[in-house]
Amino acid sequence: MAEKLYYKYWGKAGADDERGNSYHLLPYHCLDVAAVADQWWQHSSSLRQQFKQSMRVDENSAYAWLMFFIALHDLGKLDIRFQMKSTETIQQLQLEIYSSIKTKYDHKTKYDHGSNGYGWFEKELSDYGFDCICENEAMDWMQQVAGHHGRIPENNSLVEPAFISDDIKQQDKQARIEWVQSLKQLFLKSADLEFNDIPETMPAMLAGFCSVCDWIGSSDYFKYQTLEQADLKAYFDSRLGTAKTALKTFGILSKVKGKGGMAALFPKYTPQGLQAVVDTFPLEQGLTLIEAPTGSGKTEAALAYASRLLTSNPGFGGGIIFALPTQATANAMLKRLEDVADKLFEGGASVVLAHGKRDLNHDFKNILANSRLTAQGSEEAQVQCSEWLGASKKRAFFGQIGVCTIDQVLLSVLPVRHQFVRGFGVQKSILIVDEVHAYDSYMYGLLTEVLKRQKQVAGSVILLSATLPDHQKEKLLQSWGVQSEQKNSAYPLVTHASANRVLPFELPGSEQTAERIVNVETWQAEQLVLSTEQLEKIVQAAEQNAKVAVICNLVVDAQAIAKQLAALTMIPVDLFHSRFRFVDRQKIEQNISGYYGKNEKDRVLGGRILVTTQVVEQSLDLDFDWMLTQLCPVDLLFQRLGRLHRHQRDNRPPGFEQPRCVVIVPTTEAVYGDTRYVYQNLRALWRTEQFLKNKEIIFKSSQENLKAYTAYRDWIENVYCEEAWGDEPEAVEKAYLEYVKEKVDVPRMLANMVINWKVEEIKSDESDKAGLLTRDGEMSLTVIPVVKKQGKFFTLDDVDLENLEKWQYWEAISLNSVSVTKRWQDQLPKADARGLRFLPMVFETGQWVSRLEKVTFIYCKDVGLTIENA
């Protein structure tokens, strides 16, 4: 039996396994993690291809280097300071050393085995056998695997142990040397590799891959082993079956089937428009921008193209991440993707919705529930894994198909704990980003960084939009490293950027979508607030069996109009906006999908009114007979029009057989009320208003009808062109210059600054502070309404938050959170140390009330959160 020093060191300790073992030897834990990496590698051709491509070496070499460094991830545990975290275990393994230092050692001493492992590696490189030729590459690799507890360590992070004898320090060092040499023999020698053969290019996904392998390798599937074993290879091989089982339980292993494409994913669907030409798109890695009208099937086309990429070449990715602007749109997308998953992956697939309350399978629940607090405390990998997976917004990065808000993707390039795990989840997948036009300059700054990193790992991205101004499209292409000198005015249009070229794909004449004609009229209203007479016209339409949508720019306007309409009629008036608890929003979404949805059998008969905000303009499949909307920028106006006569119906009520829309404009030019806080580009608002008022400019016919598809390019390019028209009011132009400075130039610079912040500045990505990093808009704060009883917080549904497991706690926080405007910040209670902002309330006559010094907050499940002066 080999007498190696590293057998005297534990890797896991503090919680007995089912056989009564209270610790797990370090070499065995490290090989458990390597076994997970091995099985993931063996069963994922896409992962193999991506790592091999990014490392620029053959497959055997790529595998050997990955296994070697992943098994080194806990090198810092070969240090007496870590071993002293469990005094019971060190007494069993190194009683003599424990006895010699127990009175000298301060147990309050903080020791980060990740950063110190990186420090030891840097200091002892030559002792391990690395020469100066490859030391930089070796340090880069070690830096990534040493960051597996959430933060990539910086250089010179080593802190030498104090009050420890030289003999003990020397033993620790010798154990580290022996462990490096044993791993070299186990993984590198078998591939005929030496240290100086290390690849010059380190894989960008290494840190995230190592972290997830560590989490799974720390789960209860891997039973503690305390006896020395001479043959490390035999131990490693014995854990491969266990690793495969664990990966399957976590929903990670899958196999793509079929050829992909529209026919495979949507066999009962007749492809239309751009869907019919998906098979002509290039089967190569790249950035693909699909511009097409709302309701034209962009989602199906994107999924069909992604499926063709997945099935044509394993290196194009192992899954799909679908990112949307809001929680509501993510919910609406889930069912569509569940239908696709079984057709794309063998044996079904793990389709995970971020932000949604998704039931977990039995095995997965057990993984979370059995999270053991060990001697490592909060650094324990299984604890971190449970906290991560317990927050549903993060689970999206583990399924074959993940659905999330764009914020979750943007966090992958921001300085939060484990941001590289998100990055790994995104980079190993084909990324689809919907409604790209909906993001502000700050978010664009973050998104372009996401695109750069996706290209770096030879990944693919599909961006969906109704349409984009040329200058925005150019910025997206530049982030992919390509330039396009030609401007293509065709519409719909697909633009594909590969490594060094840009290809446009116009639809042939036979596949051009029939142009929609919408009757547009304007109503004037003081500061865009409807009068009683105008509200009565809405009621009359609903009483004639019309499904009517009233779209407001502000939640407060929507709440007020819904209340006024409800007082004028017995017709049902629904209210939908972002200022509900998420758990209540889910129920409202389900209801309105039935009231105003696509399917006739689900669609409620008779007239009905939906008063809503911007949440309805993106990705929700709703269909209205008549629409009224407050003035908004032209691109968002077209999005709203996409919910008008979205589906062919033969039973439209009389007077609404053709699409009709009323746009509410101000009685006084350029006086937009509080809408200016939502759409701060007043020039875009003013220009849109001019197009609507001067119909001879836009309709190109004697009829006052909007030819929706031909207008897309003309309107948007003219409204968003950077040159002044020359007749803008002075106040509008002044506001525009301020907007460019404050909301374009500064946010873009801020995005670059934030990306490069040190991770210590943001400790948790669950905090409101982390959420603020992804957006520069109004809806950037969250509050959790609670009831306080006997000093403890309960949800409004009487769930004791303090009695939940950690993974359940973060799920409950997500479901009970409300998004609010940044302007409420001073009126709300201060955030706690975790960035959570609780709002204690009491139940009074059917609603919850919080009376503060200056204001009163009221929450009702039908109205949402409102604020009144005290």
Side-chain angles (χ1 to χ4, degrees), residues 217-318:
S218 301
S219 68
D220 283 343
Y221 284 93
F222 296 87
K223 303 306 177 184
Y224 284 3
Q225 174 69 37
T226 59
L227 299 176
E228 293 183 23
Q229 185 168 327
D231 190 350
L232 292 179
K233 179 67 165 58
Y235 178 86
F236 175 73
D237 290 343
S238 73
R239 293 295 174 118
L240 297 178
T242 302
K244 182 179 178 181
T245 299
L247 283 164
K248 283 185 174 180
T249 302
F250 274 78
I252 288 175
L253 295 186
S254 66
K255 187 176 180 181
V256 177
K257 66 180 179 182
K259 296 181 179 180
M262 285 295 299
L265 265 57
F266 309 101
K268 298 180 181 180
Y269 195 99
T270 301
Q272 298 178 349
L274 60 88
Q275 298 170 349
V277 294
V278 166
D279 289 349
T280 67
F281 297 170
L283 293 178
E284 60 183 9
Q285 293 157 326
L287 171 67
T288 305
L289 178 58
I290 299 177
E291 295 175 275
T294 300
S296 62
K298 292 190 295 293
T299 297
E300 289 78 12
L303 290 170
Y305 182 36
S307 71
R308 293 190 70 235
L309 290 172
L310 290 174
T311 55
S312 66
N313 188 319
F316 291 163

Side-chain angles (χ1 to χ4, degrees), residues 402-422:
V403 191
C404 62
T405 61
I406 187 64
D407 305 74
Q408 298 303 311
V409 171
L410 299 182
L411 280 170
S412 71
V413 298
L414 289 171
V416 297
R417 287 277 183 178
H418 290 116
Q419 55 92 358
F420 45 78
V421 175
R422 272 193 179 84

Side-chain angles (χ1 to χ4, degrees), residues 344-369:
L344 185 54
F345 295 95
E346 290 185 359
S350 173
V351 183
V352 186
L353 172 67
H355 290 288
K357 188 175 184 179
R358 302 288 294 152
D359 288 333
L360 305 178
N361 67 52
H362 180 73
D363 290 334
F364 196 69
K365 282 183 178 178
N366 284 340
I367 291 172
L368 297 177

Side-chain angles (χ1 to χ4, degrees), residues 129 160 163 168 336 359 376 423 465 477 501 539 752 847 864:
E160 293 272 9
F163 310 112
I168 297 175
R336 298 162 80 176
D359 288 333
Q376 285 184 247
S465 176
L477 293 172
R501 62 177 179 169
V539 169
N752 291 330
Q847 59 189 13

Side-chain angles (χ1 to χ4, degrees), residues 836-856:
L836 300 178
R837 203 179 296 267
F838 291 98
L839 179 64
M841 312 190 86
V842 295
F843 190 70
E844 297 178 2
T845 60
Q847 59 189 13
W848 287 270
V849 180
S850 178
R851 292 184 175 84
L852 303 180
E853 183 179 350
K854 296 181 179 179
V855 297
T856 296

Side-chain angles (χ1 to χ4, degrees), residues 280-291 305 473 477 480 482-486 488 493-506:
T280 67
F281 297 170
L283 293 178
E284 60 183 9
Q285 293 157 326
L287 171 67
T288 305
L289 178 58
I290 299 177
E291 295 175 275
Y305 182 36
K473 194 185 305 185
L477 293 172
W480 202 257
V482 294
Q483 295 282 126
S484 178
E485 301 298 331
Q486 298 180 342
N488 194 314
L493 178 68
V494 176
T495 306
H496 179 83
S498 58
N500 53 15
R501 62 177 179 169
V502 178
L503 293 176
F505 288 81
E506 301 177 26

